[in-house]
């Protein structure tokens, strides 16, 4: 009988390095994370989590060689769709749009009903200014999960960037109506209303909600205090 991974001493030891590296990355010490993970990978090269974490840390430092570790992680864990999506986004960041699309499609072939992965693919299209494709994929995600504040917000921001501000405002209103707990929707709505030149009292309604919910978060507070 195969021993459970959580009881495997090697897996447990590798997890110690992974968690320590995550803490380094969280605190902005990517170099320390890479320095910690590289020897760990040499000891446990067949650990997909280690390979993935090292790849992400290296890419965070601008080292394109990290893509090899992400690819190795996918090779080791071919059914892990989150790894596939990370590889797709890394390919995009390195300027290989064709490879990014290929890996995203492989991701969604394995997880066609994961709306969060569909949104990541849609967002990738948006970053490449392929707004029609981005909107088409976003609509697919929203068909799977109607009350999806993040999805509506991404769609609204995409529509705003494509130049359709009126449609964007409508979508962002739906974002906060369908998922009133999703605070980022209020931030995006306030920004869209401001961009549309609406009166201050209209802009302030969603902005104040966001600021009240997250007083310590500048990204939420700034849309509110700039009008004081």
């Amino acid at each position: 009988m195969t021993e459970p991974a959580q009881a495997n001493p090697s897996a447990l030891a590798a997890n110690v390095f992974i968690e320590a590296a995550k803490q380094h990355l969280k605190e902005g010490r990517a170099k320390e994370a890479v320095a910690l993970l590289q020897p760990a990978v040499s000891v446990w090269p067949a650990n997909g989590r280690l390979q993935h974490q090292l790849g992400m840390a290296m890419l965070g430092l601008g080292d394109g060689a990290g893509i090899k570790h992400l690819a190795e992680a996918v090779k080791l864990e071919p059914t892990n769709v989150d790894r596939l999506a990370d590889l797709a986004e890394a390919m995009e960041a390195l300027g290989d749009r064709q490879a990014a699309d290929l890996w995203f499609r492989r991701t969604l072939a394995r997880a066609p009903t994961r709306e969060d992965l569909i949104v990541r693919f849609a967002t990738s299209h948006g970053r490449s200014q392929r707004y029609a494709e981005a909107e088409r994929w976003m609509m697919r995600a929203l068909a799977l999960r109607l009350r999806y504040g993040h999805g509506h917000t991404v769609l609204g921001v995409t529509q705003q960037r494509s130049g359709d501000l009126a449609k964007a405002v409508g979508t962002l209103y739906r974002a906060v109506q369908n998922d009133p707990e999703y605070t980022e929707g209020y931030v995006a709505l306030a920004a869209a209303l401001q961009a549309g030149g609406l009166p201050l009292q209209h802009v302030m309604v969603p902005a104040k909600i966001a600021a009240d919910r997250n007083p310590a978060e500048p990204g939420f507070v700034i849309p509110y205090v700039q009008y004081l």
Side-chain angles (χ1 to χ4, degrees), residues 30 38 197-198:
Q38 283 178 327
L198 270 75

Side-chain angles (χ1 to χ4, degrees), residues 9-22 24 32-55 58 69 72 76:
S10 295
L12 291 173
N15 286 343
V16 171
F17 283 88
I18 291 169
E19 294 306 315
K22 284 183 178 179
H24 279 309
E32 288 83 349
V34 170
L36 183 67
L37 291 166
Q38 283 178 327
V41 166
S42 69
V43 175
W44 299 291
N47 188 297
R49 289 187 67 214
L50 270 176
Q51 292 280 4
H52 176 263
Q53 197 68 50
L54 175 57
M58 292 174 68
H69 294 283
E72 183 64 20
L76 291 166

Side-chain angles (χ1 to χ4, degrees), residues 135 142 151-157 159 166-176 178 189:
E135 186 165 348
L142 292 173
H152 278 99
T153 300
V154 172
L155 175 59
V157 170
Q159 291 167 337
K167 184 186 285 188
V169 169
T171 299
L172 292 169
Y173 268 120
R174 284 194 295 277
V176 299
N178 290 343
L189 177 57

Side-chain angles (χ1 to χ4, degrees), residues 141-161:
L142 292 173
L144 291 168
R145 183 178 169 190
L146 180 61
R147 299 178 66 84
Y148 189 23
H150 174 67
H152 278 99
T153 300
V154 172
L155 175 59
V157 170
T158 299
Q159 291 167 337
Q160 183 176 350
R161 289 175 178 169

Side-chain angles (χ1 to χ4, degrees), residues 118-119 121-127 129-143 151-152 154-168 170-171 174:
I118 298 173
V119 168
F121 190 25
T123 304
S124 175
H125 282 300
R127 285 192 292 263
Q129 298 184 353
R130 298 186 297 183
Y131 298 118
E133 278 295 289
E135 186 165 348
R136 183 172 71 84
W137 282 97
M138 277 305 315
M139 295 306 294
R140 181 178 297 190
L142 292 173
H152 278 99
V154 172
L155 175 59
V157 170
T158 299
Q159 291 167 337
Q160 183 176 350
R161 289 175 178 169
S162 73
D164 196 340
L165 186 58
K167 184 186 285 188
T171 299
R174 284 194 295 277

Side-chain angles (χ1 to χ4, degrees), residues 62-108:
D63 186 349
I67 200 76
K68 297 178 181 178
H69 294 283
L70 292 189
E72 183 64 20
V74 165
K75 181 179 177 182
L76 291 166
E77 300 178 351
T79 62
N80 189 318
V81 291
D82 295 290
R83 301 272 193 273
L84 293 173
D86 285 344
L87 179 58
E89 288 176 339
M91 289 294 188
E92 178 197 347
L94 292 175
D96 193 338
R97 182 71 251 178
Q98 185 174 1
D101 286 352
L102 173 64
W103 282 107
F104 265 123
R105 291 183 184 279
R106 288 180 178 178
T107 302
L108 297 176

